[in-house]
């Protein structure tokens, strides 16, 4: 608990300080006639003070047992999901919704859940196709066509 | 238009086929996502925003509101049968609801949850109808100083009523406001923190932030801890509560409804806190408080009534002032704005079809929900058997579709992922995402209103103290900070809520 809170407070403080340096670049104005930089700077300053309070509270707390961290495989699932979605976002417009979604789903079904290839591929095709039909064709939602052009 | 005339007019709007269908779609989807753990009303409503482009404004708002109160019904089902809250607002229902199910009384538990929700939902619609028109008249006199006072009250509420650490909530609210300053300055329109990018020039989008914090991060957490799917196997029979059940539940439902409704109106409260407070209140009032947590029907009836009444109450600030008192209402506000309708004091006059239509649709929707949730309960239970392995890729794909289609900008997906990762880390470190999102939304308004107020008064803060309504709000905000320290009973009441047990 204690180390966890210390880390969190430190990260917040670092972000607060960063925000202070950035907000100083904006016109501050004055208390009675605030400029664009007035509120950002006040907020950033307040965030620094609050993180300091959190930091002090964490230091004064009694140390407890080690943080229970996720098992290796599970952590892979979390990181894998985030990275896969990031790659998906970057290739979405080139490949188009159908292809990109198909690839993403195959990854989820195969790499994260260890389904058989047949299940993974069929499941991915079906899901991508159905969501294409429902969202793009039926509901008229704007989704990129990409390579397949539809 | 008088009340009955307004209601009759609203019913005629609601019963138009397109609106009726929208209402049904809303409550159906609401129940669905209420039952499914891992996706809540906030993420779902954001997801539906682009779908509403093609609909009329009235139908859109009717549908969105339906998702919200529908989710309150659905959420209790999972709490009772699986001991996993389908929604955060049903966390408390787990305590006694699941115990009832284990004693073979799943039927009455589900029954009283649905009936309690129905009664509370109906009462709260009545409350909106009675309170909204006079509040609208009062709201017409609100200027920037009053708005600022109200927003300040909201900030103090959201940070002081948090379940976890107050300082953490304050830090999150500040972070949210800071993120809200990205984009164009509201008064001078000069760019702030945009680093020359177009994506940031409009500010961070509310939808990517919400989908990240409430959609993606939820999936990530579930992936990590694994979702237990131990669906209650016994047959559910006898959904109708007995006469004894009714006798015990009547007063808790009434108290839960009133409490939920009035707490729901206050900015920063939402529908979760009222459930905790009403549970704590019932336990205080009970002759056998020690038996709470062992399957007391009062412990199901009161919080379920409270969360439904709160959804109704929280519509009031939105409809009369155009201010979102909680995150869900912030999404609903976006739905209004997408259609070029500004909710607020002028809504009732300029768009009576929306104002009365939405109110009447909530009556109709509650009836639909009662039918959906009592006779059809078996259907929803089956749904709980869908493995999470199938569910989570679908939720992720829906999140991506929702975010991309709203703006057509791939970078918004990246923003969503960033907030997904942030939300995951935040929850691991026991930081709440709700104060951050609410502050993100309200922060911009607060800055705008105080700067306008200062322009009005030529730079004098006295304007906040010479206008009675603004001063009242400021005093209340001050009281919210001070009272918990000064009044030990309030603190004790809040502390009797077994929060640590329910952190789900």
């Amino acid at each position: 608990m204690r180390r966890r809170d210390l880390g969190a407070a430190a990260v917040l403080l670092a972000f607060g300080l960063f925000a202070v340096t950035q907000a100083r670049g904006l016109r501050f104005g004055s208390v009675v006639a605030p400029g664009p930089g007035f509120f950002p700077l006040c907020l950033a300053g307040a965030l620094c003070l609050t993180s300091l309070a959190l930091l002090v509270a964490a230091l004064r707390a009694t140390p407890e047992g080690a943080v229970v961290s996720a098992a290796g495989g599970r952590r892979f699932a979390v990181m894998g999901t985030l990275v896969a979605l990031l790659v998906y976002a970057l290739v979405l417009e080139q490949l188009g919704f159908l292809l990109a979604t198909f690839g993403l789903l195959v990854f989820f079904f195969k790499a994260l859940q260890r389904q058989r290839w047949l299940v993974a591929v069929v499941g991915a095709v079906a899901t991508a196709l159905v969501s294409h039909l429902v969202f793009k064709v039926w509901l008229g939602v704007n989704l990129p066509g990409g390579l397949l052009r539809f | 238009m008088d009340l009955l005339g307004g209601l009759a007019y609203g019913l005629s709007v609601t019963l138009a086929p397109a609106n009726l269908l929208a209402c049904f779609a809303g409550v159906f989807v609401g129940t669905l996502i209420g039952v499914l753990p891992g996706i809540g009303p906030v993420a779902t409503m954001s997801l539906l925003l682009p779908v509403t482009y093609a609909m009329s404004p009235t139908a859109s708002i009717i549908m969105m509101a339906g998702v919200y109160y529908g989710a309150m019904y659905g959420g209790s089902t999972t709490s009772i049968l699986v001991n996993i809250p389908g929604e955060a607002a049903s966390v408390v229902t787990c305590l006694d609801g699941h115990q009832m199910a284990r004693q073979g009384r799943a039927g009455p538990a589900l029954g009283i949850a649905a009936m309690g929700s129905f009664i509370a939902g109906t009462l709260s619609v009545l409350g909106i109808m009675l309170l909204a028109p006079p509040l609208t008249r009062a709201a017409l006199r609100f200027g920037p100083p009053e708005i600022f006072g109200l927003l300040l009250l909201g900030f103090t509420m959201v940070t002081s009523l948090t379940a976890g650490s107050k300082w953490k909530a304050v830090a999150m609210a500040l972070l949210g406001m800071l993120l809200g300053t990205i984009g164009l300055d509201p008064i001078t329109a000069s760019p702030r923190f945009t680093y020359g990018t177009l994506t940031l020039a409009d500010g961070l989008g509310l939808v990517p932030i919400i989908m990240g914090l409430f959609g993606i991060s939820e999936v990530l957490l579930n992936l990590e801890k694994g979702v237990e799917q131990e669906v209650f196997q016994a047959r559910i029979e006898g959904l109708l509560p007995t006469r004894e059940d009714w006798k015990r539940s009547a007063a808790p439902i009434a108290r839960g409804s009133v409490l939920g409704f009035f707490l729901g109106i206050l900015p920063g409260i939402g529908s979760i806190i009222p459930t905790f407070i009403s549970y704590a209140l019932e336990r205080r009032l009970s002759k056998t408080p020690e038996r709470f947590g062992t399957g007391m029907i009062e412990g199901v009836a009161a919080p379920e009534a409270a969360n439904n009444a709160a959804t109704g109450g929280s519509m009031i600030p939105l409809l009369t002032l155009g201010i979102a008192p909680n995150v869900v209402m912030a999404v609903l506000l976006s739905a209004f704005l997408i259609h070029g309708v500004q909710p607020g004091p002028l809504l009732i006059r300029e768009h009576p079809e929306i104002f009365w239509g939405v109110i009447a649709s909530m009556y109709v929707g509650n009836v639909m929900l009662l039918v959906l949730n009592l006779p059809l309960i078996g259907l929803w239970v089956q749904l709980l058997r869908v493995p999470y392995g199938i569910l989570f890729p679908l939720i992720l794909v829906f999140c991506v579709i929702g975010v991309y289609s709203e703006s057509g900008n791939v970078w918004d997906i990246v923003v969503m992922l960033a907030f997904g990762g942030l939300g995951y880390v935040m929850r691991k470190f026991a930081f709440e995402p709700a104060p951050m999102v609410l502050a993100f939304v309200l922060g911009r308004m607060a800055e705008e209103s105080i700067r306008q107020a200062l322009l009005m008064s030529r730079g004098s803060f006295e304007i906040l103290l010479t206008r009675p309504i603004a001063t009242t709000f400021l005093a209340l905000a001050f009281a919210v900070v001070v009272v918990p320290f000064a009044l030990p009973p309030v603190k004790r009441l809040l502390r009797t809520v077994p929060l640590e047990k329910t952190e789900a």
Side-chain angles (χ1 to χ4, degrees):
Chain A
M1 214 52 184
R2 183 180 180 224
R3 266 181 60 190
R4 215 174 56 156
D5 283 347
L6 271 181
V11 171
L12 274 173
L13 183 60
F15 182 82
L17 290 173
F18 170 74
V20 168
T21 63
Q22 296 299 303
R24 282 176 62 98
L26 298 167
R27 194 172 60 80
F28 184 76
S30 66
V31 177
V32 289
F38 184 86
F39 277 84
L41 191 62
C42 291
L43 291 171
L47 183 61
C48 289
L49 290 179
T50 313
S51 1
L52 274 177
L54 282 172
L55 205 63
V56 172
L59 280 173
R60 284 170 55 182
T62 43
E64 286 169 36
V67 182
V68 189
S69 63
R74 294 264 171 80
R75 181 163 289 171
F76 169 75
V78 173
M79 286 316 293
T81 305
L82 269 181
V83 172
L85 281 169
L86 189 63
V87 172
Y88 176 86
L90 298 178
V91 300
L92 180 65
E93 285 188 328
Q94 281 78 44
L95 288 184
F97 176 74
L98 267 179
L99 280 184
T101 307
F102 168 75
L104 180 74
L105 289 169
V106 169
F107 172 79
F108 284 151
F109 289 140
K110 187 66 203 166
L112 293 185
Q113 295 173 55
R114 325 228 168 252
Q115 301 279 358
R116 285 183 294 125
W117 273 111
L118 184 71
V119 178
V121 172
V122 172
V125 169
T127 313
L129 211 59
V130 169
S131 40
H132 172 86
L133 288 176
V134 169
F135 285 97
K136 188 160 188 184
V137 179
W138 186 47
L139 293 172
V141 163
N142 156 40
L143 295 171
L147 282 182
L148 296 179
R149 291 175 196 287
F150 78 102
Chain B
M1 218 179 298
D2 62 295
L3 279 184
L4 285 179
L7 187 64
Y9 173 61
L11 274 175
S12 73
V13 173
T14 306
L15 294 177
N19 294 339
L20 205 59
L21 189 69
C23 184
F24 180 76
V27 296
F28 184 85
V29 171
T31 310
L32 176 77
I33 56 104
V35 169
L36 295 175
I39 179 157
V42 182
T44 311
M45 287 167 69
S46 322
L47 186 78
L48 287 174
L49 276 179
V51 175
T52 66
Y53 289 154
M55 299 163 69
S56 75
T58 314
S60 312
I61 306 299
I62 286 179
M63 181 173 82
M64 296 287 236
V67 174
Y68 185 26
Y69 57 83
M72 297 300 137
Y73 278 76
S76 53
T77 307
T78 355
S79 294
I80 292 168
L81 295 179
V82 206
N83 204 19
I84 295 175
E87 291 323 317
S90 314
V91 167
V92 190
T93 311
C94 289
L95 299 174
D96 282 275
H98 189 63
Q99 288 304 323
M100 282 182 71
R102 304 190 108 189
Q103 295 156 16
R105 304 213 336 115
L110 291 166
I112 206 74
M115 298 298 275
S117 300
F118 177 75
I119 295 169
T122 315
L123 284 177
S124 77
V125 177
L126 217 79
I128 300 181
M129 229 172 68
L130 292 174
L131 277 184
L135 280 178
T136 297
R137 281 191 290 278
L140 280 171
R141 284 183 304 191
F142 274 39
E146 284 77 21
I147 301 281
F148 178 75
L150 187 64
L151 292 171
L152 200 68
L153 177 61
F155 289 129
T156 54
M157 290 267 203
V158 78
T159 48
S160 64
L161 284 172
T162 172
S165 148
K166 247 177 227 184
W167 285 110
K168 284 184 174 178
V170 172
M172 286 302 102
L174 288 168
L175 187 61
M177 282 194 258
L178 206 50
L179 292 172
T181 61
I182 295 176
L184 298 182
D185 173 70
I187 303 286
T188 64
S190 53
R192 298 194 288 197
F193 312 119
T194 57
Y195 302 101
T197 60
L198 222 55
T199 306
L200 292 178
D202 276 341
L204 294 170
L206 177 64
V207 173
I209 291 183
I210 284 181
M211 299 293 258
L213 287 176
F214 294 90
I216 304 283
S217 76
E218 195 81 26
V219 169
L220 295 178
L221 285 169
N222 284 335
L223 278 176
E224 184 182 277
K225 68 173 192 266
V227 174
E228 302 165 49
Q229 284 186 308
E230 191 200 332
V231 179
F232 194 72
Q233 291 297 336
R235 258 183 67 86
I236 302 158
E237 44 199 24
L239 281 171
L240 290 183
T242 62
R243 185 183 289 252
E244 169 68 15
D245 290 337
W246 273 115
K247 233 170 82 187
R248 283 170 55 187
S249 311
I253 288 177
R255 281 191 290 263
S257 302
V258 175
L259 192 79
F261 180 74
F262 285 102
L263 286 177
I265 298 179
L266 300 173
I269 296 238
S271 53
I272 301 165
I273 294 163
T275 62
F276 285 111
I277 297 186
S278 92
Y279 187 85
L281 181 72
E282 288 311 320
R283 197 158 70 169
R284 284 252 126 176
L285 293 175
S286 170
K287 290 191 193 86
T288 54
E290 70 285 352
R291 287 181 56 210
F292 270 78
T294 63
M296 295 277 278
I297 200 159
E298 293 91 329
V300 179
E304 280 302 314
N307 69 24
N308 264 70
T311 61
S314 64
M315 299 283 290
I316 287 187
L318 184 67
L319 291 178
T320 60
L321 285 169
I323 285 181
N326 59 46
V327 179
V328 181
M329 289 299 128
V331 183
L332 203 60
L333 177 63
S334 320
F336 272 103
L337 297 178
I338 280 179
H339 289 278
V341 179
Q342 173 69 52
L346 299 176
L347 184 72
I348 193 168
R349 199 183 312 152
E350 287 176 358
H351 294 280
E353 77 286 357
I354 299 184
F355 184 87
W356 291 109
V358 170
I359 291 181
S361 82
M362 290 171 74
Y363 275 114
V364 178
N366 271 297
V367 176
M368 286 180 180
L369 279 165
L370 199 60
V371 177
L372 274 176
N373 281 273
L374 282 182
L376 296 182
I377 190 84
L379 190 86
W380 304 112
V381 176
Q382 287 307 316
L383 210 94
L384 282 174
R385 304 217 162 91
V386 175
Y388 197 65
I390 294 180
L391 215 53
F392 92 83
L394 287 181
I395 295 176
L396 292 176
V397 169
F398 290 165
C399 289
V400 171
I401 294 176
V403 166
Y404 180 84
S405 57
E406 203 229 0
S407 63
N409 184 348
V410 172
W411 288 102
D412 274 342
I413 305 182
V414 178
V415 171
M416 170 180 79
L417 292 177
F419 277 90
L422 179 67
Y424 167 79
V425 175
M426 274 167 62
R427 280 179 228 219
K428 297 230 103 179
F429 287 80
F431 283 86
E432 296 274 334
M436 183 168 132
V437 179
L438 199 62
F440 173 80
V441 178
L442 299 184
R444 279 187 88 84
M445 292 175 78
E447 180 183 358
E448 199 178 339
S449 59
I450 186 68
R451 283 171 67 182
Q452 278 171 350
L454 286 174
L455 287 176
M456 273 167 71
S457 69
R458 302 215 179 93
S460 161
F461 280 97
E462 255 173 52
I463 192 167
L464 294 174
L465 300 174
T466 50
R467 298 172 56 125
I469 304 179
T471 314
T472 312
F473 284 137
L474 285 183
L476 283 174
F478 181 72
V480 167
V481 178
V482 174
V483 162
F485 295 104
L487 283 181
V490 180
K491 218 173 170 180
R492 263 209 309 277
L493 181 69
L494 288 171
R495 216 187 290 141
T496 49
V497 183
L499 281 173
E500 69 287 350
K501 220 169 136 186
T502 55
E503 212 179 302

